[in-house]
Amino acid sequence: MIGQASEDVLILAIESSCDETAAAVVKNGRTVLSNVISSQIATHTVYGGVVPEIASREHIKAVNYVIERALAEAQVALEDITAIGVTYGPGLVGALLVGVAEAKAIAYAAGKPLIGVHHIEGHVSANFIENQDLEPPFVCLIVSGGHTHLVIVKDYGEFEIIGRTRDDAAGEAFDKVARSVGLGYPGGPKIDKTAKEGNPHAIQFPRGRVEGAPYDFSFSGLKSAVLNHINHARMTGEEIHVPDLVASFQNSVVESLVSRAILAAHEFGYKKLAIAGGVASNSALRKAVAEACEKDGLQFYYPSPIFCTDNAAMIGTAAYYEYLKGNISGWDLNAIPNLKLGER
Ligand code: KG4
Ligand code: ZN
């Protein structure tokens, strides 16, 4: 069905910041016409984590194909696209560059506006896809492989950061603990699955807190406690019950995240709480936030797991709101690996 009503805004979005090459077509910000994701997990598994140089090369191999698929699945021709959205940071510089160069080339050749999108703004925007009623302001807990932030989403693309991790990101803690018990990469989903067989109260791990900063997170003490537990067990010849260990670890992370998110919603006077990022697909976290929100009369918003982990639909949604604000990028758009939240 080529040819949309002229007032429709169709964004072709590209995401390549880490180990997923993704493209999507999103209509009017909230309707996903296609969402194609090519994962590099199988390639990186043998190395136990993402190898940046390999990630860049895999993106180059996959990027044209995922874009063609995204347009075909959406049944949209390139000339019907209103603008091209692309993640330009934060992320792995070589990986980001593939998406940015591709988006620039397509936008220039097709005469379309280019919109650089902040990856984390994309994660937050994933909440708009399936919650048509959700509008800012609201509190959002952002938990990904590289970020752990508690923010107030003041408006589309406008964030006030009220808490952040002082050391590891939540996803990073999942990945490191998974590696230490031999569950491998990617750690988050493996711990999520294995923890279902374990007792979350079997081992009392610390709940990291930062003195004088009630909304900040710290996971390095927890990570050390897990490693100490493993080393101690190995030295004394005790058997490690992996499901109990990872369930107890996960429980500690979840409690830290939930308690601060709920406190923030109350203290800052918001009735809506959303979660975003890869770790937001964690089943124990989703359950715990849902229960806490129910108990405290807060409305809980969360994306489906496929929109929590890296995808381009969320980038298309964020790009749509940037487009409405007139935030069009220049042809000098570059990859910014350490782009801060709230910066453009
Ligand atoms: O948002 P994301 O896909 O990429 C980044 O922007 O970082 O997040 C990836 C992170 C990884 O650390 C991964 O282990 C974690 O999200 N993750 C999970 C789950 N699925 C992905 N962590 C816990 N439970 C999960 N089910
Ligand atoms: Zn991400």
Side-chain angles (χ1 to χ4, degrees):
M1 189 218 11
I2 308 282
Q4 301 282 327
S6 60
E7 62 271 19
D8 283 337
V9 174
L10 290 176
I11 305 280
L12 168 65
I14 302 167
E15 154 65 41
S16 69
S17 65
C18 190
D19 56 350
E20 259 96 31
T21 322
V25 177
V26 178
K27 186 166 101 177
N28 299 328
R30 299 202 182 215
T31 304
V32 176
L33 300 185
S34 62
N35 185 33
V36 179
I37 304 169
S38 166
S39 171
Q40 302 178 3
I41 286 177
T43 310
H44 297 290
T45 296
V46 282
Y47 304 100
V50 180
V51 183
E53 182 53 34
I54 294 177
S56 312
R57 286 188 236 153
E58 292 291 309
H59 285 308
I60 291 171
K61 280 196 239 160
V63 71
N64 284 324
Y65 173 70
V66 296
I67 292 169
E68 277 164 21
R69 277 264 312 269
L71 288 169
E73 282 182 20
Q75 295 186 290
V76 164
L78 184 57
E79 55 263 34
D80 299 321
I81 293 291
T82 315
I84 316 288
V86 64
T87 304
Y88 73 108
L92 302 170
V93 67
L96 287 165
L97 272 172
V98 176
V100 170
E102 179 82 11
K104 277 160 96 168
I106 295 176
Y108 189 76
K112 308 287 181 187
L114 174 72
I115 303 168
V117 174
H118 194 296
H119 181 74
I120 299 301
E121 181 182 342
H123 274 303
V124 173
S125 304
N127 280 285
F128 299 131
I129 296 171
E130 295 155 300
N131 299 302
Q132 300 286 325
D133 62 315
L134 178 62
E135 282 176 24
F138 56 91
V139 171
C140 188
L141 171 70
I142 305 164
V143 273
S144 73
H147 289 76
T148 301
H149 278 99
L150 198 47
V151 303
I152 297 169
V153 183
K154 299 231 142 181
D155 202 344
Y156 294 101
E158 278 178 41
F159 307 97
E160 181 185 334
I161 300 173
I162 52 180
R164 65 178 81 222
T165 182
R166 295 296 183 100
D167 37 62
D168 290 351
E172 205 178 343
F174 270 95
D175 294 336
K176 286 177 179 169
V177 166
R179 199 173 309 141
S180 68
V181 291
L183 287 178
Y185 153 90
K190 295 205 166 152
I191 289 187
D192 193 348
K193 188 159 174 263
T194 309
K196 292 199 167 87
E197 321 284 307
N199 172 7
H201 307 290
I203 307 160
Q204 227 355 274
F205 285 128
R207 272 77 178 131
R209 53 181 69 247
V210 182
E211 219 29 62
Y215 305 111
D216 278 359
F217 306 91
S218 169
F219 298 111
S220 67
L222 169 63
K223 186 185 64 191
S224 301
V226 173
L227 293 180
N228 287 343
H229 183 91
I230 296 169
N231 289 338
H232 184 263
R234 281 186 187 141
M235 276 188 316
T236 55
E238 252 173 75
E239 206 192 313
I240 299 167
H241 190 267
V242 172
D244 279 356
L245 181 93
V246 297
S248 302
F249 156 78
Q250 180 176 267
N251 190 38
S252 170
V253 176
V254 166
E255 278 189 13
S256 299
L257 295 173
V258 176
S259 59
R260 285 164 182 74
I262 298 287
L263 180 69
H266 283 309
E267 291 293 309
F268 289 85
Y270 291 95
K271 283 276 170 211
K272 295 185 270 186
L273 175 62
I275 56 173
V279 183
S281 61
N282 181 269
S283 56
L285 177 65
R286 292 161 87 89
K287 188 163 172 275
V289 184
E291 283 170 6
C293 285
E294 167 90 47
K295 187 166 147 268
D296 287 20
L298 301 172
Q299 251 178 300
F300 176 37
Y301 295 91
Y302 51 93
S304 289
I306 193 69
F307 296 125
C308 286
T309 45
D310 288 349
N311 66 88
M314 67 183 195
I315 302 303
T317 298
Y320 169 77
Y321 288 103
E322 295 301 336
Y323 176 79
L324 294 188
K325 286 192 276 181
N327 281 334
I328 306 302
S329 304
W331 298 120
D332 58 350
L333 182 74
N334 204 355
I336 305 184
N338 57 354
L339 185 66
K340 301 277 173 293
L341 192 60
E343 274 179 10
R344 279 202 62 80

